[in-house]
């Protein structure tokens, strides 16, 4: 007899959670290698790390992926770090550890780069070749290679799956103190309410904003990419629309340790994510509001010697078109 769904959870979400949520341990590496060999070119895997001033962590991540998933076990075919303008030793650390390093501005140079993580992820499709693309943030500490093998696993073993998000615990760690579930503040305060209210089919994702996810190139090349912090929410919402809930999945990979941002940086992130959601609601004619009701600016306050000083930041909504429409991508 099937489990009774949690009260308030949509029946199709409860069903999805049972069928499309796994643990990394559910697919041992030998099973993944067998599936990869059977898939041929469709089983090639590119791992992409977008990086900006991540010298303290990027080398260890690259080393572990290279040694554990390329040399000991040939699961990953390509390991790419895309540097978006680091002023520290990020590029050198990544190259020394064994990654191929490409500067963001060297990819599609005819198009001036927009700031933001999403811009780097979008351009990386031109610089990578795998049929499966796995994105990993470059600021992770205590990195576990299961972050990669866990999320590419369903794509290698189930042709009906097109995008897989990692799920994990996100402790908040600061000044020696640890709050076990204190991370992911923007997720809980902004993204999760937006998804539950407007895209309830996506309410089952534990870490909708997580930077660790893998997808088939055939899906990614058809999606628009918000250039900034809204990229994870935008890709998830657009993938739901394009391939449906049953093509999406999530895998438990344990615990994510990473660098935390300050409150004002989180505020700018939250505003960008909210605007990304508004753009999609408007695009599907689900947002009934005059254009002048949306003011794409965020004013924050910092105490200075003169008192609280305002600083206003734009809330960007720039998006890149599906990569399949770019001539350089089609003709490569």
């Amino acid at each position: 007899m099937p489990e009774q769904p949690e009260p308030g959870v949509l029946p199709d979400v409860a069903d999805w959670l049972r069928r499309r949520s796994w643990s990394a341990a559910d697919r041992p590496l030998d099973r993944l290698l067998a599936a990869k060999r059977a898939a041929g070119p469709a089983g090639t895997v590119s791992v992409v790390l977008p990086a900006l001033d991540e010298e303290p962590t990027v080398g260890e991540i690259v080393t572990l992926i290279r040694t554990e998933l390329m040399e000991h076990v040939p699961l990953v075919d390509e390991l790419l770090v895309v540097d978006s303008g680091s002023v520290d030793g990020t590029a050198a650390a990544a190259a020394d550890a064994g990654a191929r390093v490409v500067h963001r501005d060297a990819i599609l140079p005819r198009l001036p780069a927009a700031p933001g993580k999403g811009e780097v992820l979008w351009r990386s499709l031109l610089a990578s070749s795998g049929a499966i693309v796995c994105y990993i943030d470059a600021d992770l500490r205590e990195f576990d290679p299961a972050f990669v093998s866990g999320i590419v696993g369903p794509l290698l073993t189930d042709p009906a799956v097109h995008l897989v998000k990692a799920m994990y615990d996100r402790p908040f760690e600061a000044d020696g103190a640890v709050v076990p579930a204190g991370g992911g503040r923007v997720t809980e305060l902004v993204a999760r309410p937006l998804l539950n209210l407007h895209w309830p089919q996506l309410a089952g994702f534990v870490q909708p904003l997580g930077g660790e996810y893998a997808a088939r190139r055939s899906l990614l090349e058809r999606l628009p990419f918000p250039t900034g912090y809204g990229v994870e929410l935008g890709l998830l919402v657009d993938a739901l629309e394009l391939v449906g809930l049953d093509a999406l999945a999530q895998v438990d990979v344990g615990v994510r340790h990473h660098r935390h941002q300050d409150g004002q940086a989180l505020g700018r992130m939250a505003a960008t994510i909210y605007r990304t959601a508004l753009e999609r609601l408007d695009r599907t004619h689900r947002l009934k509001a005059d254009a002048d009701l949306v003011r794409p600016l965020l004013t924050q306050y910092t105490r200075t010697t003169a008192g609280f000083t305002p600083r206003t930041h734009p809330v960007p909504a720039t998006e890149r078109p599906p990569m399949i429409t770019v001539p350089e991508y089609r003709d490569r």
Side-chain angles (χ1 to χ4, degrees), residues 89-107:
T90 292
D96 290 346
R100 179 166 67 92
V101 180
V102 180
H103 194 282
R104 173 200 62 194
D105 297 349
I107 307 169

Side-chain angles (χ1 to χ4, degrees), residues 37-235:
R37 295 189 188 102
T44 54
V45 176
S46 295
V47 175
V48 176
L49 280 70
L52 177 62
D53 295 328
E54 303 295 357
E55 180 182 4
T57 51
V58 68
E60 181 180 357
I61 298 171
V62 168
T63 296
L64 284 167
I65 294 172
R66 177 179 55 78
T67 57
E68 298 299 322
L69 300 179
M70 298 181 82
E71 296 174 357
H72 295 169
V73 176
L75 185 70
V76 172
D77 302 282
E78 182 179 39
L79 180 51
L80 175 68
V81 171
V82 183
D83 188 346
S84 56
S86 299
V87 297
D88 64 1
T90 292
D96 290 346
R100 179 166 67 92
V101 180
V102 180
H103 194 282
R104 173 200 62 194
D105 297 349
I107 307 169
L108 202 62
R110 69 168 175 83
L111 184 66
K117 176 185 177 183
E119 177 81 354
V120 176
L121 301 183
W122 181 73
R123 288 177 186 254
S124 75
L125 291 176
L126 259 171
S128 59
S129 60
I132 294 169
V133 181
C134 174
Y135 294 125
I136 300 291
D137 279 349
D139 67 340
L140 303 186
R141 295 181 290 103
E142 301 178 37
F143 178 74
D144 187 335
F147 272 64
V148 174
S149 58
I151 58 178
V152 303
L155 296 165
L156 289 170
T157 58
D158 189 341
V161 175
H162 288 255
L163 183 148
V164 182
K165 297 280 292 190
M167 57 176 166
Y168 34 68
D169 295 314
R170 293 184 72 171
F172 181 81
E173 301 160 315
D175 301 323
V178 178
V179 180
R185 291 163 287 173
V186 175
T187 293
E188 298 304 330
L189 296 174
V190 180
R192 200 176 310 284
L194 283 170
L195 292 176
N196 277 262
L197 290 170
H198 299 292
W199 295 279
Q201 282 186 296
L202 297 175
F205 277 94
V206 175
Q207 298 292 351
L209 298 186
E212 292 71 43
Y213 48 103
R216 301 192 189 279
R217 177 177 294 272
S218 57
L219 170 62
L220 292 172
E221 67 187 11
R222 291 184 289 157
L223 297 176
F225 275 61
T227 57
Y229 287 124
V231 63
E232 274 82 26
L233 183 136
L235 291 177

